[in-house]
Amino acid sequence: MNILVINCGSSSLKYQLINADTEEVLAKGLCERIGIDGGMHTYQPKGADKIKTQTDMPDHTKAVQLVLDALTDKNSGVIADLSEIDAVGHRIVHGGEKFSGSVLIDDEVLAAIEECNDLAPLHNPANLIGVNSCRKLMPNVPMVAVFDTAFHQTMPEKAYLYGIPYDYYRKYKVRRYGFHGTSHEYVANRTAEFLGKDIKDMKIIVCHLGNGASVSAVNGGKCVDTSMGLTPLEGLIMGTRSGDLDPAILEFIAGKENLSIREMLNVLNKKSGVLGLSDGVSSDFRDLGEAADSGNTRAKVALETYAYHVAKYIGSYVAAMNGVDAITFTAGVGENNISARAMIGEYLTYLGTRIDPARNNIRGEETIISEDGSKVTLLVIPTDEEMSIARQTVALCK
Ligand code: ADP
């Protein structure tokens, strides 16, 4: 079975065509600047160079059409025609409380996803546009929705309720939802498989440290807590997002700088995190590392503050689960940033675990990075959200 995996944003569309039987990625690509001048389609068939084409894409349907044309192109395509796409898996950001797992898309499901739009006004409508464009061009191909929030739906009330009037939950469903669920689920399962253990017997903390970042506590294979909240703004300090802060700061700074709530949220989402903390050096951990190495104090303190916050979350999830067997690092920073992992590891020796510097000296490989004899195993497991979406799509379409 060939599965087309689609991750559709407001002006971009990422995709992969995966042969689900062999788990080979046949082709992947990205459409950028949809609906804006200067559209760009990058297409990469397996084992070949990227092909970049500048084409305006007035809407998402045009972008999906370009993708389908590229996949079936006589020269650089990887399939003969559209009948070789057996199903489409769509990443959907917010499933609210309606979806605790992936589902086959029909009109009823689409309406239910639409009802979650006000919980993720930037992401969900864009995801739905992607679904509708694909349905228009491939009306007989089954489509599956895979939600970023679904894995976290097993959290107990004490983990997902905020300390605010209950009526806001009752009326508006204001609560912790969590994101990156596909990644947390995939990485927790791989952690258990890699260690040759049954996930039902394990307490695992997954640190998904990318540009966006979140931590989750997975007890017996079920998520019991996670650091992102109603929106992806809560929790860890991220590339450009603030993570946790005293909510009164919003009014204080808004008053001083004459900003609206919307403008303040823009600051907290786009100008904060390690970018803001480093006084504007960068949101990218590679740049920050280089700046810190060449003596930039603000970059150094930003990296220290980041690691400290990750360690505090790990500590709180050890408490939440009354123990931990494995702590796994994943995503761009977690998989590749040797010094960030080392800095976080320094806070974990109270758990009877220590990072082995030689083992930690790797990027993007499944491996144990703690010393032999450590009570808690520290690992790196590269995440693969697309493969996970493809597998879930196959499971629902068989
Ligand atoms: P996104 O949330 O956009 O998917 P990623 O998971 O791709 O983010 O993570 C991006 C982050 O990973 C960037 O800050 C980048 O600096 C970091 N990163 C990627 N590769 C490396 C590397 N080789 N060394 C250090 N940091 C890296």
Side-chain angles (χ1 to χ4, degrees):
M1 270 182 109
N2 289 334
I3 309 295
L4 180 61
V5 175
I6 299 270
N7 181 354
C8 191
S10 56
S11 68
S12 71
L13 186 153
K14 273 195 255 177
Y15 64 93
Q16 287 193 4
L17 183 69
I18 296 178
N19 177 329
D21 306 311
T22 58
E23 301 219 324
E24 246 181 320
V25 178
L26 302 175
K28 59 184 172 184
L30 169 67
C31 299
E32 290 167 286
R33 298 182 65 84
I34 301 169
I36 312 171
D37 282 351
M40 175 72 84
H41 177 205
T42 308
Y43 168 74
Q44 187 173 28
K46 184 177 168 256
D49 289 338
K50 284 182 183 164
I51 302 168
K52 287 193 172 219
T53 322
Q54 218 166 357
T55 338
D56 279 347
M57 292 166 264
D59 56 34
H60 289 75
T61 305
K62 176 74 184 165
V64 175
Q65 186 64 59
L66 281 176
V67 172
L68 300 179
D69 290 347
L71 293 171
T72 53
D73 187 83
K74 290 267 170 307
N75 300 313
S76 53
V78 290
I79 51 175
D81 57 57
L82 290 186
S83 69
E84 290 182 41
I85 297 179
D86 298 290
V88 183
H90 292 272
R91 176 194 178 211
I92 309 286
V93 168
H94 219 306
E97 287 187 333
K98 293 177 197 293
F99 299 100
S100 55
S102 306
V103 283
L104 259 177
I105 296 175
D106 58 19
D107 291 340
E108 213 174 301
V109 166
L110 275 183
I113 298 174
E114 235 168 82
E115 283 172 29
C116 302
N117 278 4
D118 69 335
L119 293 170
L122 294 180
H123 296 103
N124 264 33
N127 300 157
L128 282 171
I129 290 172
V131 175
N132 286 324
S133 298
C134 286
R135 285 181 111 202
K136 210 182 282 175
L137 297 169
M138 295 176 275
N140 300 317
V141 177
M143 313 253 161
V144 167
V146 179
F147 299 92
D148 260 31
T149 48
F151 179 59
H152 303 302
Q153 276 296 303
T154 48
M155 280 188 288
E157 266 185 313
K158 64 183 176 187
Y160 71 67
L161 286 179
Y162 289 115
I164 56 175
Y166 187 73
D167 211 29
Y168 297 137
Y169 170 69
R170 198 165 23 222
K171 285 199 291 202
Y172 311 122
K173 295 281 176 250
V174 173
R175 51 160 285 179
R176 173 183 312 288
Y177 289 96
F179 299 88
H180 297 136
T182 310
S183 175
H184 286 286
E185 181 175 21
Y186 173 86
V187 171
N189 280 300
R190 272 306 299 154
T191 298
E193 277 166 22
F194 187 78
L195 295 175
K197 293 191 177 153
D198 187 339
I199 197 167
K200 292 208 168 60
D201 303 325
M202 290 194 76
K203 294 173 178 174
I204 302 171
I205 295 174
V206 177
C207 304
H208 176 110
L209 311 178
N211 206 1
S214 64
V215 189
S216 68
V218 182
N219 195 345
K222 293 203 179 339
C223 176
V224 294
D225 208 343
T226 190
S227 58
M228 282 179 166
L230 173 77
T231 76
L233 187 52
E234 194 184 348
L236 298 176
I237 293 173
M238 310 180 207
T240 63
R241 294 192 193 117
S242 64
D244 297 334
L245 45 72
D246 178 348
I249 289 174
L250 262 89
E251 192 200 15
F252 186 83
I253 298 180
K256 298 275 182 208
E257 300 264 321
N258 198 20
L259 298 174
S260 65
I261 289 199
R262 183 179 287 256
E263 287 166 330
M264 267 314 294
L265 284 174
N266 191 48
V267 171
L268 297 182
N269 271 303
K270 305 249 172 78
K271 298 182 179 167
S272 301
V274 288
L275 171 68
L277 254 176
S278 65
D279 208 10
V281 172
S282 179
S283 63
D284 190 295
F285 280 73
R286 282 167 289 207
D287 301 339
L288 286 166
E290 279 170 28
D293 288 345
S294 53
N296 185 309
T297 312
R298 298 279 43 102
K300 181 167 175 282
V301 174
L303 292 170
E304 285 169 359
T305 312
Y306 176 83
Y308 176 68
H309 280 249
V310 177
K312 285 211 298 186
Y313 259 101
I314 291 173
S316 70
Y317 288 169
V318 174
M321 295 193 286
N322 195 11
V324 62
D325 300 304
I327 301 170
T328 308
F329 296 95
T330 194
V333 176
E335 290 166 28
N336 299 301
N337 201 312
I338 295 161
S339 69
R341 290 193 305 252
M343 283 166 83
I344 297 163
E346 282 179 23
Y347 292 100
L348 305 178
T349 51
Y350 72 99
L351 292 170
T353 186
R354 209 175 276 281
I355 286 193
D356 178 321
R359 289 181 177 172
N360 188 38
N361 196 20
I362 54 96
R363 293 195 165 96
E365 271 175 50
E366 285 193 348
T367 187
I368 292 174
I369 55 169
S370 48
E371 287 178 352
D372 286 340
S374 289
K375 279 197 212 148
V376 176
T377 310
L378 309 178
L379 304 97
V380 171
I381 301 279
T383 191
D384 195 340
E385 288 166 281
E386 285 80 11
M387 194 59 74
S388 176
I389 291 174
R391 286 181 192 158
Q392 296 184 51
T393 304
V394 171
L396 284 165
C397 290
K398 266 199 169 145

